[in-house]
Amino acid sequence: MKLRVLALAAIAATSISAQAGLTTSSTWETISPGTGLSGVLFNVQTAGGVTVAMGAHAYKNGVSLANNGVDTFYANSGTYAPDGKNYANWSFDFAWDFGTNCAGCTVSLFADTDPTSGVNLTSLFSTALIPSTFAESWNMEMGFIPYNFNPFAPSSTAFKLVVNDANRGEIVSSNITVNVPEPGSLALLGLGLAGLAAARRRKSA
C-alpha cells in the first residue's frame, strides 16, 4: 500500500511540475466563448502553419482534470445524472486551425476502442469538407460514437487528431489519453496532489 501511494505521489509530482506541456487552445477560446469551458487544457501541436489541439475536461463539473502535464488526463468513472443524458463524467475536446495554406487538406479524428492498456484507434471522422478553424467537445456516451463504452469501468482511452495534406501525407497531429483508474486510486492521486501542493506552499512561505 505504501509503495502504491508513493507511485501515485510521483505521478502527482509530474502533474504539478510539467504543466507547461499542456496549454489552452486559442482556437478553442475564440470559437467557444460563453460556454463555461474557457481554460480547458490541450496538447497543442503546430507544424507547416497548421495547428491541432486535443484536450479533456470534467463533464458539467468544470474544466479541470488531473493530468501528467503532457498528454494524459485522469478522470472519474461513472456518469453525470442531473441533466438526464447519462454522459460519462468526462468529455474530450478538439480544435484545429488550418492557417492560410492548406488547400486540399483533410482532418481526421481517431478514438481508442480498446479500454485496456492496448490501443486500437478507430476513425470517428475523416473529411475535407470542413471549416478552416473549428472547435468541439464530445462525450464517449454520445449516440454517434460507433462503439460501446463503459463509463463505470477502469479504462485507458487514446485519441488522435491529425491533418493530412492533399497527398495524404501527415502535416501535424495531437495525441492524448484519458485514464479512468479505479476510484480508490484516483482518490489517492488527489491526496498526493494536495499533499505536494501544501508542501510547496510551506516551502515558499
Side-chain angles (χ1 to χ4, degrees), residues 98 102-110 123 125-130 160 162-172:
F98 278 5
C102 205
C105 289
T106 60
V107 62
S108 304
L109 176 65
F110 299 89
S123 176
F125 68 77
S126 181
T127 181
L129 302 175
I130 50 176
K160 179 178 182 179
V162 57
V163 173
N164 294 93
D165 61 25
N167 297 316
R168 301 300 297 165
E170 182 175 312
I171 299 174
V172 64

Coordinates of all heavy atoms in Angstrom, one line a residue, residues 98 102-110 123 125-130 160 162-172:
F98 N -6.3 25.6 -39.8 CA -5.6 25.2 -41.0 C -4.6 26.3 -41.4 O -3.8 26.1 -42.3 CB -6.6 24.9 -42.1 CG -7.1 23.5 -42.1 CD1 -6.8 22.6 -41.1 CD2 -7.9 23.1 -43.2 CE1 -7.3 21.4 -41.1 CE2 -8.4 21.8 -43.2 CZ -8.1 20.9 -42.2
C102 N -3.5 25.5 -46.8 CA -3.8 24.1 -46.6 C -4.8 23.6 -47.6 O -5.8 22.9 -47.2 CB -4.2 23.9 -45.1 SG -3.9 22.2 -44.6
A103 N -4.7 24.0 -48.8 CA -5.6 23.6 -49.9 C -5.6 22.1 -50.0 O -4.6 21.5 -50.1 CB -5.3 24.2 -51.2
G104 N -6.8 21.5 -50.0 CA -6.9 20.0 -50.1 C -6.6 19.2 -48.9 O -6.5 18.0 -48.9
C105 N -6.4 19.9 -47.8 CA -6.1 19.2 -46.5 C -7.3 18.5 -46.0 O -8.5 18.9 -46.2 CB -5.6 20.2 -45.5 SG -3.9 20.8 -45.8
T106 N -7.1 17.4 -45.3 CA -8.2 16.7 -44.6 C -7.8 16.6 -43.1 O -6.6 16.6 -42.7 CB -8.4 15.3 -45.1 OG1 -7.2 14.5 -45.0 CG2 -8.8 15.3 -46.6
V107 N -8.8 16.5 -42.3 CA -8.6 16.3 -40.9 C -9.3 15.1 -40.4 O -10.4 14.7 -40.9 CB -9.1 17.5 -40.0 CG1 -10.6 17.7 -40.2 CG2 -8.8 17.4 -38.6
S108 N -8.7 14.3 -39.6 CA -9.3 13.0 -39.1 C -9.2 12.9 -37.6 O -8.2 13.4 -37.0 CB -8.5 11.8 -39.7 OG -8.5 11.9 -41.1
L109 N -10.2 12.4 -37.0 CA -10.2 12.2 -35.5 C -10.4 10.7 -35.2 O -11.2 10.0 -35.8 CB -11.4 12.9 -34.9 CG -11.6 12.7 -33.4 CD1 -10.4 13.3 -32.6 CD2 -12.9 13.4 -33.0
F110 N -9.5 10.2 -34.4 CA -9.5 8.8 -34.0 C -9.7 8.6 -32.5 O -9.2 9.4 -31.7 CB -8.2 8.1 -34.4 CG -7.9 8.2 -35.9 CD1 -7.2 9.2 -36.4 CD2 -8.3 7.1 -36.7 CE1 -6.9 9.3 -37.8 CE2 -8.0 7.2 -38.1 CZ -7.3 8.3 -38.6
S123 N -11.5 5.4 -36.6 CA -11.8 6.7 -37.1 C -13.2 7.1 -36.7 O -14.2 6.4 -36.9 CB -11.7 6.7 -38.7 OG -12.1 8.0 -39.1
F125 N -14.2 10.4 -37.7 CA -14.5 11.1 -38.9 C -13.2 11.4 -39.7 O -12.1 11.4 -39.1 CB -15.3 12.4 -38.7 CG -14.5 13.5 -38.1 CD1 -13.6 14.2 -38.7 CD2 -14.8 13.8 -36.7 CE1 -12.9 15.3 -38.1 CE2 -14.1 14.8 -36.1 CZ -13.2 15.6 -36.8
S126 N -13.3 11.5 -41.0 CA -12.2 12.0 -41.8 C -12.8 12.7 -43.0 O -13.4 12.0 -43.8 CB -11.3 10.8 -42.3 OG -10.2 11.2 -43.1
T127 N -12.5 14.0 -43.1 CA -13.2 14.7 -44.2 C -12.4 16.0 -44.5 O -11.6 16.5 -43.7 CB -14.6 15.1 -43.7 OG1 -15.2 15.8 -44.8 CG2 -14.5 16.0 -42.5
A128 N -12.6 16.4 -45.8 CA -12.0 17.7 -46.2 C -13.1 18.8 -46.2 O -12.8 20.0 -46.4 CB -11.4 17.6 -47.6
L129 N -14.4 18.4 -46.0 CA -15.5 19.4 -46.1 C -15.7 20.0 -44.8 O -16.7 19.8 -44.1 CB -16.7 18.6 -46.6 CG -16.6 18.0 -48.0 CD1 -17.9 17.2 -48.3 CD2 -16.3 19.0 -49.1
I130 N -14.8 20.8 -44.3 CA -14.8 21.4 -43.0 C -14.3 22.8 -43.0 O -13.6 23.2 -44.0 CB -13.9 20.6 -42.1 CG1 -12.5 20.4 -42.7 CG2 -14.5 19.2 -41.7 CD1 -11.5 19.7 -41.9
K160 N -6.6 10.7 -31.2 CA -5.6 11.4 -32.1 C -6.4 12.3 -33.1 O -7.3 11.8 -33.7 CB -4.8 10.3 -32.9 CG -3.8 10.9 -33.9 CD -3.0 9.8 -34.6 CE -2.0 10.4 -35.5 NZ -1.2 9.3 -36.2
V162 N -5.5 14.5 -36.5 CA -4.4 14.6 -37.5 C -4.9 15.3 -38.7 O -6.0 15.2 -39.1 CB -3.9 13.2 -37.8 CG1 -5.0 12.3 -38.4 CG2 -2.7 13.3 -38.8
V163 N -4.0 16.2 -39.2 CA -4.3 16.9 -40.5 C -3.3 16.3 -41.5 O -2.1 16.3 -41.3 CB -4.1 18.4 -40.4 CG1 -4.2 19.1 -41.7 CG2 -5.2 19.0 -39.4
N164 N -3.8 15.9 -42.7 CA -3.0 15.4 -43.8 C -3.1 16.4 -45.0 O -4.2 17.1 -45.2 CB -3.5 14.1 -44.3 CG -3.3 13.0 -43.2 OD1 -4.2 12.7 -42.4 ND2 -2.1 12.4 -43.2
D165 N -2.1 16.4 -45.8 CA -2.1 17.3 -47.0 C -2.8 16.6 -48.1 O -3.4 15.5 -47.9 CB -0.7 17.7 -47.4 CG 0.2 16.5 -47.8 OD1 -0.3 15.4 -48.2 OD2 1.4 16.6 -47.7
A166 N -2.9 17.3 -49.3 CA -3.7 16.7 -50.4 C -3.1 15.4 -50.9 O -3.9 14.6 -51.5 CB -3.6 17.8 -51.5
N167 N -1.9 15.1 -50.6 CA -1.3 13.8 -51.0 C -1.4 12.8 -49.8 O -0.7 11.7 -49.9 CB 0.1 14.0 -51.4 CG 0.2 14.9 -52.6 OD1 -0.5 14.7 -53.6 ND2 1.2 15.8 -52.6
R168 N -2.2 13.1 -48.8 CA -2.4 12.2 -47.6 C -1.1 12.1 -46.7 O -1.1 11.2 -45.9 CB -2.8 10.8 -48.1 CG -4.1 10.7 -48.9 CD -5.3 11.3 -48.1 NE -5.6 10.6 -46.9 CZ -6.3 11.0 -45.9 NH1 -6.8 12.2 -45.9 NH2 -6.6 10.2 -44.8
G169 N -0.2 13.0 -46.9 CA 1.0 13.0 -46.0 C 0.6 13.7 -44.7 O -0.1 14.8 -44.8
E170 N 1.0 13.2 -43.6 CA 0.7 13.9 -42.3 C 1.4 15.2 -42.2 O 2.7 15.2 -42.3 CB 1.0 12.9 -41.2 CG 0.6 13.5 -39.8 CD 0.8 12.5 -38.7 OE1 0.3 11.4 -38.8 OE2 1.4 12.9 -37.6
I171 N 0.7 16.2 -41.8 CA 1.3 17.5 -41.5 C 1.6 17.6 -40.1 O 2.7 18.0 -39.6 CB 0.4 18.7 -42.0 CG1 0.2 18.6 -43.5 CG2 1.0 20.0 -41.6 CD1 -0.8 19.6 -44.1
V172 N 0.5 17.4 -39.2 CA 0.7 17.5 -37.8 C -0.4 16.7 -37.1 O -1.5 16.5 -37.7 CB 0.5 19.0 -37.4 CG1 -0.9 19.6 -37.8 CG2 0.9 19.3 -36.0

